[in-house]
Amino acid sequence: MFGRRGAVKMGSGDGRPGDAEAVLAEALRAFWVMVGVLAVIWVVQAVNWADGYRLSLHYGIHTRDVTGLTGVVTAPFLHLSWAHIEGNSGPLFIFGFLAAFRGVKKFLSLTVLIVLVSGMGAWLTSGPNTVTAGASGVVFGYFGYVIVRGFFDRHRIDIVVGLVMALCFAYQFAVLLPHRGISWQGHLFGFVAGIAGGWILRERRPRAATDGGTRPLPSGAGRTTPGSRADLLKELDDLGL
């Protein structure tokens, strides 16, 4: 619709206007954030590969090893092979961008939640003497968030995007089930964290003021002014009523 000054406005899909330029600027910011994230993990991968993947072994998530709790934060940046990082990079960029384009600040809070929940879930429930590394838990967190965000925020466009992503990547749900050699625990906890993030970070809309459950009266309706009752009685008396 058009604003009062003729500026073009773009709706959010539910009738609430939003500034088209602001939305595009936020989307561009989200794009570069994800480009930067991918650049970092690929640089780390090159160093890790040159070092014989010792970074993954030292800084991955060591199951129920208190000394290895730092792996909860570092593991998403580490991978165990070139095929591993290649498989994660595409979904990470797609779901990360879709999770971030509504607001990078909210996206950063979401990422912290997913990293902690996914990492701690893998640390607590993975098999003994195992090391977990990779960004797949974060990928599934973003995936879960993108699916449910539209329902929690009541954005029709985001609901459609979430349904399309769920249908296009439905095969990914199989990886949430136990698989030998795959950190399905990190995937599952990341997915749950993404759904929880959709609820925690949902848009809070101010409630309309109410008057105890009754509809507000029109201006002037049901009100009297000083002397109005006396005037009415006088008129009735003059009429002989």
Side-chain angles (χ1 to χ4, degrees), residues 129-155:
N129 302 316
T130 58
V131 179
T132 302
S136 52
V138 178
V139 170
F140 274 90
Y142 293 155
F143 185 35
Y145 177 75
V146 168
I147 290 175
V148 303
R149 177 182 56 192
F151 294 97
F152 291 144
D153 288 348
R154 289 175 288 176
H155 286 167

Side-chain angles (χ1 to χ4, degrees), residues 1-21 156:
M1 64 178 66
F2 291 94
R4 293 181 179 178
R5 297 184 180 180
V8 178
K9 301 286 185 178
M10 183 175 69
S12 59
D14 56 3
R16 292 179 295 123
D19 188 344
E21 291 184 358
R156 284 177 289 181

Side-chain angles (χ1 to χ4, degrees), residues 152-225:
F152 291 144
D153 288 348
R154 289 175 288 176
H155 286 167
R156 284 177 289 181
I157 293 177
D158 290 345
I159 291 174
V160 172
V161 170
L163 292 175
V164 170
M165 290 297 102
L167 292 173
C168 290
F169 293 90
Y171 65 91
Q172 294 281 6
F173 289 106
V175 191
L176 297 175
L177 302 175
H179 284 73
R180 184 178 179 84
I182 297 178
S183 177
W184 63 270
Q185 297 93 335
H187 299 169
L188 180 59
F189 279 95
F191 188 73
V192 171
I195 294 175
W199 171 255
I200 295 170
L201 300 173
R202 69 190 185 281
E203 290 185 2
R204 267 73 170 183
R205 301 181 182 182
R207 294 183 179 180
T210 61
D211 56 352
T214 61
R215 293 183 179 179
L217 295 172
S219 177
R223 299 177 185 175
T224 60
T225 57

Side-chain angles (χ1 to χ4, degrees), residues 41-64:
I41 66 172
W42 275 85
V43 169
V44 171
Q45 168 63 13
V47 175
N48 197 14
W49 167 79
D51 195 37
Y53 292 100
R54 285 190 290 182
L55 290 178
S56 294
L57 295 177
H58 288 300
Y59 297 102
I61 300 172
H62 293 255
T63 307
R64 292 181 291 280

Side-chain angles (χ1 to χ4, degrees), residues 38-93:
L38 286 177
V40 169
I41 66 172
W42 275 85
V43 169
V44 171
Q45 168 63 13
V47 175
N48 197 14
W49 167 79
D51 195 37
Y53 292 100
R54 285 190 290 182
L55 290 178
S56 294
L57 295 177
H58 288 300
Y59 297 102
I61 300 172
H62 293 255
T63 307
R64 292 181 291 280
D65 182 356
V66 177
T67 61
L69 273 174
T70 54
V72 169
V73 176
T74 56
F77 296 95
L78 302 168
H79 292 81
L80 299 171
S81 68
W82 289 107
H84 190 197
I85 190 173
E86 288 169 3
N88 278 339
S89 293
L92 178 64
F93 182 84

Side-chain angles (χ1 to χ4, degrees), residues 12 23 26 97-104 149 155 157-158 203:
S12 59
V23 172
E26 201 67 39
F97 171 77
L98 291 175
F101 88 98
R102 285 287 185 189
V104 171
R149 177 182 56 192
H155 286 167
I157 293 177
D158 290 345
E203 290 185 2

